[in-house]
Amino acid sequence: MSSSDDLSAIRLTRDAHGRLVLHDAEGGLHVGVLPVRAFALSDPGGAISLVGSDGRERLWIASPAAVPAQARALLDEELARREFAPVIERLVDVSTFTTPSTWQVRTDRGDARLVLKGEEDIRRLDGGALLVTDSHGIGYRIPDPRALDRRSRRLLERFL
């Protein structure tokens, strides 16, 4: 594992198979690294760990803004491919106010239908945000429940 305050010496590239390759400051080559956000929900723009295919950390990036532009573009591209957390903008309908319950929602990525298995599938996050996890394990975010329209808030309150 390495941690570097000076990230200007690192490079990220893709190999012929599309895997991310880290060229570290010591001249090491790490094929197939994956970027993992340290605090994906509470600080999505914060620290990132580059993890090798064996699960071990190869590089800790405390400040992603310090990464050179070309490497940052590859990091952002890889993170976007791996992360899928639609934002619920509106609750259209719920099948029942007990669980399991099927929700019809409008998200920033289109309309969706999700099934909540239990009330524990709705978690409170820092700052009042909510994370709703459906029966397939997909996490839907509600950044500010108070910003939802009145009907959506009323439907949601029945589950909180």
Side-chain angles (χ1 to χ4, degrees):
M1 173 175 91
S2 70
S3 178
S4 177
D5 293 332
D6 178 23
L7 298 171
S8 62
I10 69 148
R11 278 189 326 120
L12 286 175
T13 59
R14 289 204 184 273
D15 69 6
H17 301 287
R19 296 176 298 189
L20 209 55
V21 179
L22 168 66
H23 307 259
D24 66 26
E26 291 82 35
L29 190 69
H30 308 280
V31 178
V33 295
L34 296 173
V36 178
R37 293 189 192 278
F39 304 101
L41 297 173
S42 61
D43 187 15
I48 295 173
S49 175
L50 290 181
V51 179
S53 57
D54 60 356
R56 292 188 161 174
E57 185 174 272
R58 298 293 181 242
L59 181 68
W60 175 256
I61 303 171
S63 177
V67 174
Q70 178 273 342
R72 178 62 197 209
L74 282 175
L75 272 178
D76 290 343
E77 179 183 305
E78 190 67 24
L79 286 165
R81 279 194 328 171
R82 298 188 54 200
E83 296 174 343
F84 181 72
V87 173
I88 293 176
E89 298 173 339
R90 182 171 171 240
L91 276 75
V92 177
D93 195 28
V94 297
S95 65
T96 180
F97 293 113
T98 60
T99 53
S101 178
T102 302
W103 289 17
Q104 298 286 342
V105 297
R106 177 151 305 128
T107 75
D108 62 337
R109 303 195 186 200
D111 293 345
R113 182 176 178 202
L114 53 114
V115 176
L116 264 65
K117 295 184 290 184
E119 291 178 8
E120 65 276 2
D121 290 336
I122 302 174
R123 288 191 8 227
R124 292 185 188 276
L125 303 174
D126 290 342
L130 299 174
L131 179 65
V132 180
T133 305
D134 75 359
S135 60
H136 299 291
I138 297 173
Y140 294 80
R141 288 183 39 103
I142 302 176
D144 182 2
R146 296 166 299 176
L148 294 172
D149 65 271
R150 185 177 180 175
R151 176 171 160 63
S152 296
R153 283 193 316 268
R154 273 197 260 141
L155 291 172
L156 181 61
E157 286 170 359
R158 301 286 299 263
F159 291 90
L160 298 177

